[in-house]
Amino acid sequence: MQQKYNPHVIEREAQQYWDASGAFRAREAPGKRKYYCLSMFPYPSGKLHMGHVRNYTIGDVLTRYHRMKGRNVLQPMGWDAFGLPAENAAMANSVPPAKWTYENIAYMKSQLKSLGFAIDWSRELATCQPGYYRWNQWLFLRMLEKGLVYKKTGVVNWDPVDRTVLANEQVIDGRGWRTGAMVQKRAIPMYYMAITRYAEALLAALDKLPGWPDRVKTMQANWIGKSHGVRFCFPYDLSGGKAAGTNLPLPQPSSHALLPKGEGAPERGTGAPVSGDVTVEAHVSTRANSALHPAPGSHPSTIRSEPAPPSAGALEPPLSFWERGGGEGSRGAGGEGGSSETQATEKGLLWVFTTRADTIMGVTFAALAAEHPLAARAARDNPKLAAFIEECKRGSVMEADLATIEKRGMPTGISITHPLTGQPVPVWVGNYVLMAYGEGAVMGVPAHDERDFHFAKQYGLPIRQVINAQTADAGAFTTDQWQPWYESKNGVCINSGKYNGLGYHEAVEAIAADLKAKGLGEKQVLWRLRDWGISRQRYWGTPIPIIHCQGCGDVPVPDRDLPVVLPEDCVPDGTGNPLAKRPDFVNCTCPKCGKPASRETDTMDTFVDSSWYYIRFACPDSTRTMVDGRAEYWLPVDQYVGGIEHAILHLLYSRFWTRVMRDLGLITFDEPFANLLTQGMVLNEIYFRRSDNGRMVYYNPAEVEAKAGEDGNRDAILKADGQPVEAGGIGTMSKSKNNGVDPQELIDRYGADIARFFMMFTSPPEDTLVWSDAGVEGAARFLRRVWAFAERKNEVLKWWSANPTLVRWEVGNTEKAATVRREVHANLKQANYDFGKFQFNTIASAAMKILNTLEDLDRSPGPEANVNVHVFVLHEGLGVLLRLLSPITPHISHCLWRELRYGEDVLAAPWPEHDPAALIEDEIELVVQVNGKKRGDVRVPRDADSRAIERIVLADPAVQRHVNGQPVKKVVVVPGRLVNVVV
RNA sequence: GCCGGGAUGGCGGAAUUGGUAGACGCACGGGACUCAAAAUCCCGCGGUGGCAACACCAUGAGAGUUCGAUUCUCUCUCCCGGCACCA
């Protein structure tokens, strides 16, 4: 046995052993309980970063632990290989994205291998392989047939830097999620996936995911954004006649009851009659373009690309945001596509949505978004209003600070009729009303909505109180100052005619019923979630399998022609989509009529790729079907591990995609990930200087020396020139901030085991980790000690292994060895408990404690030492230690397990469980408190009853001193723990 | 503003259902070994007072429940994440 711990040598040997024996090859074993552990696959950006190392170590620890616990484990790995960085790199280096991507994959794979992860590489896949993305295309076509994919022109988020369309979810604070550039609006035809059809199910099923962190479920629920309220309308007549009466016929519900359809009855929690639901596709097919949105189950051979103009019936309501296709608009703006579709007419209904129908009697105005058709109508002969509207539109494009801007508005001169009182209500345009949410118009109730209140104060609109607080401390209503209770749902109606005295719920019910009776509104559910626009005007992605034919329109590529293969030799130059410049790609014949046609050059959002890769891992070699029966064995994923930054996008799309595949009969499960562990982000200090031209220059923390200044502020200087740099706080490791730490340096220097151990030991997996390598030496020291201890005991342990029956352990042994053995088992018990909590840092601690106690026994065995007992405890303890460590530090465990003759392969060893008998003591120590303060401890027999314990404790001198003659009121005895004397 | 999570030594963090606060490690101080250094090993290490035994204080702040609170309840402060003129 090597005298010195040489990680690089033993790690290479262990990895060769695993490779040669196919140790991590997963096989379906019906009847054996499986454990599918998956870490989010990486984008092949070039090399692993610290977050990857953390992520994959967590996954590997869980995989190896459950394997030793007897589960049939699967841990696959793949590559999220399509995406923009490959194109950017291609532009910078004139290398085709494919070449760049495959080279990165090769290098990162070697890095993952050097870390010793128990990955089944036979299942490796990359999403840029035709064998993978052909199924993106295939499912796309199935969804098209089902009406779950549709094409629509709309306003999109346009990233001017990447020159691509972004999904709503990819817009953060009005900026592109990758580039940070301000997003602009553009009208563009694109394909959508109807995730809103599953909104109800995606929301309801969150309750059935006990293995998910609450914060992720909350974020998804907020994102889906269900709100209950009432949708109603104000009739108007601009023709110069009287305002329309209240007996106008209500347009048929199909044009406005735009609830996303839930899934089948079993998933629905409300028990609402399915027949009463009006689905999105039914709606869209009547409104926007019936050829475009075939009913589910139909199989159109063509699709038309442009919506037909809607009929503008006199009493049609404005389009609701569903049909306006708010999904493609950026939040806080959008809807321009809608205004072209809808002309405000002389007579009509102004629709609004409210969650506070109980305040409807307090309406004193209505406010329109700048993009609202009625606003455009009013501006027709009002230049000042037109100018104001233009200003609002411009402002709303460019705002991250929209939330802080002043509330501004302008009257339209239009008057509408209150649906219940028949009173005239003035209509304003307000810059705080969003076209993309709800109806693009709101009722104004200044007394009971804070925004309306300030708006009314500013423009002198009446404020009419209709709710009174029920609590005495609320204070009187005054129009001088806003008070939070004005918005409370706990009041009762006043000044509201027949509704006086009703509480929130009764009032909403009564008012909704009256509106419905008049045909002017009803209860409605509104969702924040929008459909998922998947078209990208980029090269490096899955080609959308559509052919454009002059005669036949948009024709789906027949299944027999799949995959539509992406040429891999393109080098994008930054101008437009390189695919459009490839005649060999674009030119084709129409599958329907055989005439020359052109291929769609848009590609799919890369979130499509990652929405189902975890299913494909079950059967990556399936060439004839997207998935096969093996998916039923492995799925759902038992444990998914990945960054919290994917809490919404990827995880929500995956849940949607799984349901789509289920509804197409491809799989039978509902939810893809049974348990989710969201690992915290890895952060580091940020240092920079501002150069003369105002540009920021970032310095890697490794180049900076930080010292604590006298005033508590940290002063930092650049090591190279000794001059100060500014501290920019702490942020995620990123290229742009130049604050990354390359894990390869750590691995090269210390080896995989030490890097892995340190990562697990330094903080719990879900916590944010501010990078510091201060503790790495401690991890290295520990593993060196493990090695040295094993080396020292090598001969005697080998001897023991050859003669295992010489001595058996006996309960009641009073040697020091018994104490040590108790500690070993107590720590083992604790560690096993901690595995259930994913608390790997304390598992590492437990391993350290076990080594500490074994070393102590070895150094000072105690006067009555029996050599056989002594060796028994060392042998057993080290066996526990090596197995406990093996998920975290597999290489050293593998090596020592063999060296010390514990067995052939530690992977095959059973997971250690503690021996309850080892924990039993004849005498136990109890903490003694007087009035809750610790005053000492006593040893009592294990089976002493409380009366005996009381006697012993009260006789204790320290207790006597603190009781000091006062009468003892009572004595609390917590068995096995403590005694508290109350005086 | 709303929703979620958090605040414990110089640092990372521990404390399972309310039961010895600070495990384990880092850093630091002292010692052993060494010609010396590295490595290794031993001892110490929340604060205040005290030679000491020991006492008092201490888990962001304040209150409450309890024999006993880092843990439960309420109020507040600050930090992190998410959402947001959402009607």
Side-chain angles (χ1 to χ4, degrees), chain A residues 714-731:
Chain A
R714 278 176 310 116
D715 292 331
I717 54 165
L718 189 66
K719 286 176 189 166
D721 59 13
Q723 296 302 305
V725 292
E726 287 185 64
I730 289 172

Side-chain angles (χ1 to χ4, degrees), chain A residues 588-602:
Chain A
C588 59
T589 54
C590 172
K592 213 178 160 204
C593 68
K595 288 182 186 153
S598 64
R599 208 176 276 289
E600 169 69 54
T601 57
D602 279 2

Side-chain angles (χ1 to χ4, degrees), chain A residues 282-306:
Chain A
H283 159 72
V284 170
S285 65
T286 55
R287 282 296 301 188
N289 187 334
S290 52
L292 192 62
H293 307 293
S298 71
H299 293 251
S301 57
T302 66
I303 50 177
R304 221 172 337 134
S305 58
E306 289 300 320

Side-chain angles (χ1 to χ4, degrees), chain A residues 171-213:
Chain A
V171 179
I172 298 155
D173 295 335
R175 293 171 182 273
W177 70 306
R178 282 184 192 274
T179 63
M182 293 307 297
V183 168
Q184 302 170 350
K185 289 193 284 184
R186 271 206 189 182
I188 222 166
M190 59 189 292
Y191 289 93
Y192 286 84
M193 291 191 172
I195 190 172
T196 53
R197 290 254 297 268
Y198 289 83
E200 181 79 64
L202 290 168
L203 182 67
L206 288 174
D207 290 339
K208 293 183 229 157
L209 291 172
W212 280 40

Side-chain angles (χ1 to χ4, degrees), chain A residues 29-67:
Chain A
K32 193 173 175 195
R33 203 163 161 226
K34 58 94 183 178
Y35 182 79
Y36 180 3
C37 182
L38 182 68
S39 295
M40 290 180 184
F41 66 166
Y43 178 77
S45 55
K47 51 189 180 182
L48 294 183
H49 56 66
M50 220 37 103
H52 289 134
V53 175
R54 194 181 192 197
N55 195 158
Y56 301 141
T57 303
I58 292 166
D60 199 49
V61 169
L62 288 167
T63 300
R64 289 173 175 272
Y65 169 70
H66 282 99
R67 176 191 181 121

Side-chain angles (χ1 to χ4, degrees), chain A residues 225-411:
Chain A
K226 182 181 191 177
S227 38
H228 295 270
V230 173
R231 181 179 182 268
F232 71 95
C233 61
F234 298 84
Y236 63 83
D237 181 352
L238 310 179
S239 61
K242 277 178 60 184
T246 53
N247 290 329
L248 289 167
L250 182 67
Q252 279 316 292
S254 61
S255 60
H256 72 273
L258 304 172
L259 308 187
K261 185 184 167 74
E263 294 178 275
E267 283 261 36
R268 299 181 66 87
T270 59
V274 174
S275 61
D277 285 347
V278 179
T279 65
V280 168
E281 79 275 4
H283 159 72
V284 170
S285 65
T286 55
R287 282 296 301 188
N289 187 334
S290 52
L292 192 62
H293 307 293
S298 71
H299 293 251
S301 57
T302 66
I303 50 177
R304 221 172 337 134
S305 58
E306 289 300 320
S311 64
L315 297 176
E316 292 277 346
L319 294 172
S320 104
F321 89 88
W322 287 110
E323 50 198 318
R324 265 198 314 278
E328 67 283 45
S330 63
R331 273 173 280 150
E336 277 187 349
S339 57
S340 63
E341 294 172 23
T342 310
Q343 298 274 314
T345 50
E346 298 306 293
K347 280 186 182 179
L349 304 168
L350 176 68
W351 288 90
V352 299
F353 176 83
T354 179
T355 56
R356 294 302 304 271
D358 58 318
T359 66
I360 197 169
M361 302 304 272
V363 168
T364 58
F365 69 98
L368 306 174
E371 296 87 352
H372 197 281
L374 195 56
R377 162 65 182 79
R380 216 157 54 190
D381 30 44
N382 184 342
K384 271 178 80 177
L385 183 61
F388 177 72
I389 288 171
E390 277 313 305
E391 197 186 324
C392 287
K393 283 184 183 172
R394 223 174 312 123
S396 68
V397 182
M398 304 288 295
E399 51 8 66
D401 48 3
L402 189 123
T404 58
I405 66 173
E406 188 192 352
K407 283 180 189 38
R408 294 175 55 214
M410 189 173 278

